[in-house]
Amino acid sequence: MDWNNDGRHDLLVGDTRGNIQVYLNTNGNSNPVLSAGHFIQAGGENLDAGARAAPVAEDWNGDGKKDLIVGGMDGTIKIYLNKGADASPVFAPPFLLQANGRDFKIDSRSAPRITDWNKDGLKDVLVGETHGYIYYLKNVGTNKAPVFKGYEKLFLRNGDVLRYPDPNGDPRSRLFVTDWNNDGLDDMLVGGKDGKVMLHLSAPEQSYSPSVIVKMTWLQVKDKILEFKDKAKEKIRGLF
């Protein structure tokens, strides 16, 4: 992430108190040297996004300037629009991301990433959270005015839900989308509270986003199976 548009990679960090700091790279990209961090402000005060701030810098409203999209402990996602310049952001007070006309909220520790997941030219949102799942919010609006009708978990090709493994049920998934193996398809890196990182490669036989495609197919099959089981139970009860 290049915060000040000088061509060098900088570091954006949210903390447990809800503050966000940026550490500027004072050296080259091959050997970064970070300056002392400084707190980002919104509305003239140090930004406070709520506990466990998980920020990402993206152009949310298509005006060519980086905005802040921030998850947190309460499970919501806050949007801070940049009213300054792209190289020297000035942020307005936040508003909450919505889905189905209501404030988006998962259980806890929301951690968003912005990407065109279904390759339709529109920015979508992927969200990690406290239980290790990844949620997908499809943009049905525009890049200048994103609209999300709902959200759903991502699934793997075999029908299993995509989840960072943890026997205690609280792995706190964090994700990054990239073409890991240079095959032109989106892969996903998922980290958890144990400090490890899992790699999910995109299936080469799919054009894009196999998790979503397989999820839709598998859910249709699962619904039919559950419907069949319910009818079978009714017939069995009728025998007694």
Side-chain angles (χ1 to χ4, degrees), residues 4-235:
N4 55 354
N5 294 1
D6 64 355
R8 294 179 287 193
H9 301 318
D10 305 309
L11 181 64
L12 189 67
V13 179
D15 64 27
T16 186
R17 296 169 297 181
N19 301 133
I20 298 174
Q21 294 188 67
V22 61
Y23 296 81
L24 298 178
N25 181 6
T26 61
N27 203 35
N29 286 331
S30 60
N31 185 27
V33 176
L34 300 179
S35 66
H38 67 266
F39 288 102
I40 295 173
Q41 293 196 332
E45 299 179 351
N46 285 350
L47 186 152
D48 182 359
R52 310 289 180 179
V56 61
E58 295 284 347
D59 180 6
W60 181 257
N61 57 352
D63 64 356
K65 299 183 290 188
K66 63 177 68 68
D67 307 304
L68 283 178
I69 300 91
V70 188
M73 192 72 173
D74 65 359
T76 65
I77 294 176
K78 297 178 177 68
I79 312 295
Y80 294 83
L81 294 182
N82 181 4
K83 300 302 183 180
D86 188 45
S88 54
V90 177
F91 296 103
F95 59 90
L96 294 178
L97 182 146
Q98 293 198 332
N100 280 330
R102 298 185 297 272
D103 294 341
F104 171 80
K105 181 178 173 58
I106 53 177
D107 188 43
S108 183
R109 296 179 185 271
S110 55
R113 288 288 179 180
I114 313 302
T115 184
D116 181 7
W117 184 244
N118 61 347
K119 297 296 182 288
D120 63 355
L122 301 175
K123 65 172 73 72
D124 306 308
V125 181
L126 296 175
V127 186
E129 48 83 66
T130 193
H131 300 300
Y133 299 110
I134 305 296
Y135 286 89
Y136 168 48
L137 289 79
K138 178 183 176 182
N139 183 3
V140 297
T142 66
N143 279 327
K144 290 188 175 181
V147 175
F148 306 97
K149 287 189 175 180
Y151 52 95
E152 52 196 350
K153 293 175 183 175
L154 292 187
F155 278 67
L156 302 174
R157 286 186 53 78
N158 63 0
D160 292 338
V161 67
L162 193 163
R163 187 185 188 195
Y164 192 91
D166 182 9
N168 298 320
D170 187 21
R172 307 175 191 178
S173 56
R174 300 292 182 266
L175 69 124
F176 185 75
V177 177
T178 186
D179 183 1
W180 182 262
N181 54 358
N182 295 321
D183 64 354
L185 304 175
D186 284 341
D187 308 309
M188 185 179 291
L189 297 166
V190 184
K193 72 175 183 180
D194 61 4
K196 299 177 182 178
V197 178
M198 294 185 66
L199 170 63
H200 294 278
L201 292 176
S202 180
E205 62 268 26
Q206 300 288 354
S207 59
Y208 58 81
S209 191
S211 297
V212 175
I213 293 172
V214 173
K215 171 190 178 300
M216 294 172 64
T217 303
W218 183 76
L219 278 181
Q220 291 170 0
V221 174
K222 185 180 74 170
D223 289 342
K224 291 294 183 182
I225 293 173
L226 293 176
E227 180 182 351
F228 174 79
K229 286 183 177 180
D230 289 339
K231 289 182 178 179
K233 289 179 181 178
E234 290 178 3
K235 288 183 179 180

